[in-house]
Amino acid sequence: MNDTQKEPVNFIQKIIDDDNASGKWDNRVHTRFPPEPNGYLHIGHAKSICLNFGIAEKNGGKCNLRFDDTNPVKEEDEYVQSIIKDVKWLGFDWEDRLFYASDYFDQMYEFAIQLVQDGKAYVCDLSGDEIRNTRGNLTEPGKESPHINRSIEENLDLFVRMKNGEFANGEKVLRAKIDMSHPNLNMRDPVIYRILHASHHRTGDKWCIYPMYDWAHGLEDSIEKITHSICTLEFEDHRPLYDWYLEQLGVYHPQQIEFARLNLNFTIMSKRKLKQLVDENHVDGWDDPRMPSISGLRRRGYTPESIRNFAEDLGVTKRDSIIDVIRLENALREDLNKRAPRVMGVLDPLKVVITNYPEGKTEMLEAINNPEDNSAGKRDIPFSQELYIEQSDFMEDPPKKFFRLGPGREVRLRYAYFITCQEVIKDENGNIVELQCTYDPKTRGGSAPDGRKVKGTLHWVSSPHAVDAEIRLYDRLFLNENPDEDGEFLKNLNPDSCKTFSNSKCEPSLANPENLTYQFERNGYFIKDEKESINGKLVFNRAVSLRDSWKKFLKQVGK
RNA sequence: UGGGGCGUAGUAUAAUGGCAGUACACCUGGUUUUGGUCCAGGCAGUUGGGGUUCGAAUCCCUGCGCCCCAGCCA
């Protein structure tokens, strides 16, 4: 790279550069990824994970993994475990810094006591409805709570009794005393603690009051000595409150910085809606290969590297944007093109008999494992008289630009021979069931000594040596670019998002596939589905197709 | 309508007072034992109006458009 082409520096890195120049944080960079364990991680979280861990890494800093588990009614250990697994799988290391907001509940409670003692918080008896009704709205100020002037002693007493479980859910809350006419709604005496008689997945029944996000998050950051607290745009309005709390408490005060979350077209990113897809069985769980969840992408055949490259390529800004999901797919293709071993698999087999090939003979032919990587070596694949090719590689009455097989046409079988179609065998219904072809023995390996060329090269599998498999091809889960545009994302589900070929044939090397994504030549990238490959059945998922200019051509000419 | 943000090719993203660049998408062509990869070329942009300046995407004024906020969710 020449020095006129610098790597673009995003606005967060610029802030860090400035801070380091001024010595603001003693040149420390300490970030955190703070998921709430109320669902599985998705590709949107991946952007945040890559940003937080990435920026720490680039600046010689640290990044914590911290569970923001302040709402026991929504959170579960299952989600904690899945999140740990996913972040690790993406390739990030929080070393010994795995934290939970719930570890700080005692400290948070003490800080709340301090705020009450300073006369900056009060216990309010208003119901949820009453609080809402007295908050005012976008244009009108709110009204003060009738309990705003309780004495410090009374507030202390009531708050302690809240903690001790003397009151029912919703009966009382602790609120900050700020300004009910503040133009920022978040500053109108926000709730700090609410009563929730609910069992927490980590603290059990120790607590019946739980801190609200705004109270908890700044304290978590403060306790962990975070420098740059990176979050998404919708929290911009919360920053004044984040700052207010830490300011009033006089504690270590990180800087909150907001960036635009990732949106992908043809995809939904709301955890609530993804959970709905799972709960209502529209998909086969959080790890359904069509889900944008990390676990879904993993099962689909995505690599951690491709996701990280994608996230890196995205950049970081404050602009709302919708990324074309094609970019995610391209990131995978780019990664896998360099690394994936090539194999041959026929999705939808059509029998081919080589009439002039010795019956019962098997010969081994040499194939290159990865033309992009010489170190991947070579392998031998068996060839025999009876083969399978792809149904879509034969046309009885092919158009001129169809470079594949047709009556009387000659094509190359990859790494094998040139064959010519002599006869088309049909069943009583007129379906093509077999092709009788002849081969040219002089073209062994795939090139003709007389220099003659063929346009098409087909993948194939020797019938007696074939490994049976089921192959699943995935399409987008939704029909619309913006699936939730009309608020009815379920109606926009793509009924053809999974196409199954149950009679596929693979080359013998695939009998016991490794846990990696292969390229099935001319078909795309595939990975064994560990969940579905049971009872001797072998199931492959297609992660992404190869670019297909033939398909594109068909589309152009209108089918 | 109060407050907080954001406006650069189709989609994203650089340029922070000095040649509007890059990626993806799209279109041509070349190479090729994957209609893959790779290579070469092309199309295409600063939200409107005013101002400051030798010079404005960038600074100022003023419109317009889009997003977020009225959970005891995060």
Side-chain angles (χ1 to χ4, degrees):
Chain A
M1 185 188 303
N2 68 48
D3 50 8
T4 56
Q5 286 182 311
K6 284 174 298 203
E7 269 294 296
V9 173
N10 68 55
F11 80 101
I12 295 179
Q13 183 62 53
K14 278 176 192 156
I15 291 172
I16 289 172
D17 291 343
D18 288 348
D19 290 346
N20 284 341
S22 71
K24 183 174 176 186
W25 308 101
D26 301 321
N27 287 359
R28 275 189 318 121
V29 174
H30 202 149
T31 57
R32 97 268 94 110
F33 173 62
E36 184 191 13
N38 66 342
Y40 281 63
L41 259 24
H42 55 58
I43 184 71
H45 295 109
K47 175 178 176 184
S48 175
I49 293 166
C50 293
L51 209 209
N52 276 295
F53 279 93
I55 212 142
E57 209 169 275
K58 281 175 205 152
N59 292 279
K62 293 172 177 171
C63 180
N64 301 349
L65 175 59
R66 178 175 73 220
F67 288 96
D68 212 354
D69 54 351
T70 57
N71 185 357
V73 305
K74 288 189 175 175
E75 298 153 5
E76 292 174 29
D77 186 61
E78 178 196 347
Y79 298 132
V80 171
Q81 300 313 323
S82 74
I83 290 166
I84 288 174
K85 182 178 179 182
D86 288 349
V87 178
K88 205 176 277 178
W89 179 76
L90 280 172
F92 296 106
D93 184 7
W94 51 90
E95 298 174 313
D96 57 350
R97 298 180 311 281
L98 172 62
F99 300 125
Y100 295 82
S102 51
D103 288 342
Y104 311 137
F105 280 172
D106 284 291
Q107 291 173 81
M108 290 178 189
Y109 174 74
E110 290 305 323
F111 279 124
I113 295 280
Q114 180 187 331
L115 206 64
V116 173
Q117 278 171 335
D118 290 346
K120 290 166 183 164
Y122 61 96
V123 173
C124 176
D125 302 354
L126 258 28
S127 70
D129 282 346
E130 288 168 326
I131 288 181
R132 187 179 327 119
N133 293 335
T134 53
R135 188 163 17 231
N137 56 39
L138 295 182
T139 50
E140 289 165 32
K143 292 187 196 61
E144 284 191 345
S145 162
H147 312 108
I148 195 171
N149 289 319
R150 293 222 247 234
S151 69
I152 289 174
E153 291 69 29
E154 188 184 2
N155 282 321
L156 234 27
D157 175 63
L158 288 171
F159 183 50
V160 170
R161 288 166 60 193
M162 277 170 64
K163 186 203 70 164
N164 290 341
E166 292 188 29
F167 307 111
N169 286 356
E171 204 174 326
K172 288 182 173 16
V173 290
L174 183 71
R175 301 178 73 178
K177 195 187 287 188
I178 307 181
D179 179 2
M180 285 308 291
S181 58
H182 197 108
N184 180 341
L185 265 22
N186 294 123
M187 300 296 273
R188 318 245 260 227
D189 290 14
V191 172
I192 300 173
Y193 270 95
R194 77 286 212 181
I195 299 172
L196 241 36
H197 289 275
S199 202
H200 186 279
H201 65 100
R202 296 193 77 244
T203 60
D205 295 319
K206 180 179 177 188
W207 298 89
C208 64
I209 57 170
Y210 290 93
M212 296 288 290
Y213 167 85
D214 290 296
W215 177 251
H217 207 93
L219 288 173
E220 294 157 21
D221 288 342
S222 180
I223 290 165
E224 294 175 15
K225 295 285 185 287
I226 298 303
T227 54
H228 305 269
S229 176
I230 301 169
C231 61
T232 43
L233 248 31
E234 68 271 26
F235 292 103
E236 212 150 21
D237 285 339
H238 293 247
R239 179 156 30 95
L241 185 53
Y242 180 103
D243 290 337
W244 190 88
Y245 283 141
L246 297 177
E247 181 74 13
Q248 300 307 311
L249 261 12
V251 295
Y252 176 87
H253 189 156
Q255 179 183 4
Q256 177 179 308
I257 302 167
E258 309 84 13
F259 74 100
R261 60 157 16 109
L262 171 65
N263 299 294
L264 285 179
N265 59 7
F266 296 101
T267 312
I268 55 170
M269 219 69 100
S270 149
K271 265 199 267 184
R272 206 202 88 231
K273 286 167 192 153
L274 292 173
K275 187 170 187 301
Q276 193 182 341
L277 290 176
V278 173
D279 290 344
E280 297 178 5
N281 295 309
H282 298 291
V283 295
D284 174 40
W286 282 97
D287 65 349
D288 186 297
R290 295 164 296 181
M291 290 280 274
S293 55
I294 304 298
S295 53
L297 293 169
R298 178 168 55 230
R299 190 170 154 204
R300 175 82 172 252
Y302 272 76
T303 59
E305 290 81 0
S306 68
I307 293 173
R308 281 191 266 128
N309 292 343
F310 170 70
E312 189 64 32
D313 188 48
L314 248 26
V316 183
T317 68
K318 301 191 69 148
R319 278 178 237 156
D320 282 317
S321 61
I322 300 171
I323 304 295
D324 197 330
V325 69
I326 287 172
R327 282 177 66 177
L328 213 210
E329 297 171 353
N330 280 342
L332 215 217
R333 290 192 183 104
E334 197 182 346
D335 183 37
L336 256 18
N337 176 52
K338 290 178 301 200
R339 304 194 301 159
R342 317 284 129 131
V343 292
M344 292 199 284
V346 176
L347 268 42
D348 193 10
L350 172 61
K351 189 160 86 172
V352 169
V353 175
I354 313 292
T355 53
N356 59 339
Y357 193 85
E359 192 178 337
K361 177 180 174 182
T362 295
E363 68 180 309
M364 301 305 283
L365 298 167
E366 193 177 63
I368 295 167
N369 286 329
N370 185 348
E372 304 295 315
D373 177 12
N374 285 331
S375 71
K378 295 174 176 175
R379 71 187 185 287
D380 286 331
I381 44 182
F383 183 86
S384 67
Q385 187 184 35
E386 191 176 304
L387 314 164
Y388 295 113
I389 64 164
E390 208 74 64
Q391 294 267 5
S392 57
D393 282 336
F394 176 81
M395 278 183 90
E396 206 172 4
D397 185 19
K400 201 159 190 179
K401 291 207 170 180
F402 187 80
F403 302 150
R404 310 173 188 182
L405 204 53
R409 289 197 181 196
E410 184 174 48
V411 296
R412 170 171 37 236
L413 294 179
R414 178 88 156 145
Y415 299 125
Y417 294 98
F418 287 9
I419 60 167
T420 304
C421 177
Q422 307 295 355
E423 202 170 336
V424 181
I425 314 283
K426 298 181 181 177
D427 65 12
E428 61 274 20
N429 298 319
N431 299 314
I432 299 168
V433 293
E434 181 184 321
L435 265 24
Q436 301 220 326
C437 303
T438 51
Y439 84 119
D440 177 354
K442 291 192 287 293
T443 57
R444 190 175 197 275
S447 53
D450 64 6
R452 79 179 184 280
K453 304 279 183 201
V454 288
K455 275 276 184 66
T457 300
L458 310 188
H459 60 280
W460 54 275
V461 170
S462 165
S463 159
H465 307 91
V467 171
D468 290 322
E470 174 177 310
I471 294 185
R472 298 180 180 182
L473 264 32
Y474 299 100
D475 199 354
R476 348 197 107 121
L477 230 200
F478 294 97
L479 264 4
N480 305 39
E481 263 198 64
N482 180 0
D484 202 31
E485 193 171 23
D486 48 12
E488 304 210 56
F489 68 101
L490 289 178
K491 288 191 177 165
N492 294 325
L493 278 166
N494 178 4
D496 302 318
S497 56
C498 178
K499 192 173 179 191
T500 300
F501 291 89
S502 48
N503 188 33
S504 301
K505 306 288 182 184
C506 300
E507 65 169 72
S509 70
L510 248 20
N512 292 297
E514 294 177 61
N515 179 29
L516 53 76
T517 311
Y518 293 87
Q519 184 191 107
F520 286 18
E521 293 207 29
R522 303 208 304 135
N523 268 328
Y525 296 96
F526 296 76
I527 194 168
K528 178 184 173 188
D529 190 318
E530 298 291 347
K531 203 170 166 181
E532 295 290 330
S533 296
I534 44 173
N535 301 328
K537 187 169 142 189
L538 185 56
V539 178
F540 285 101
N541 295 322
R542 184 166 74 184
V544 66
S545 68
L546 256 27
R547 281 199 187 82
D548 189 345
S549 56
W550 169 242
K551 208 177 198 174
K552 197 188 233 173
F553 168 76
L554 290 178
K555 219 171 186 175
Q556 269 179 359
V557 299
K559 228 177 172 162

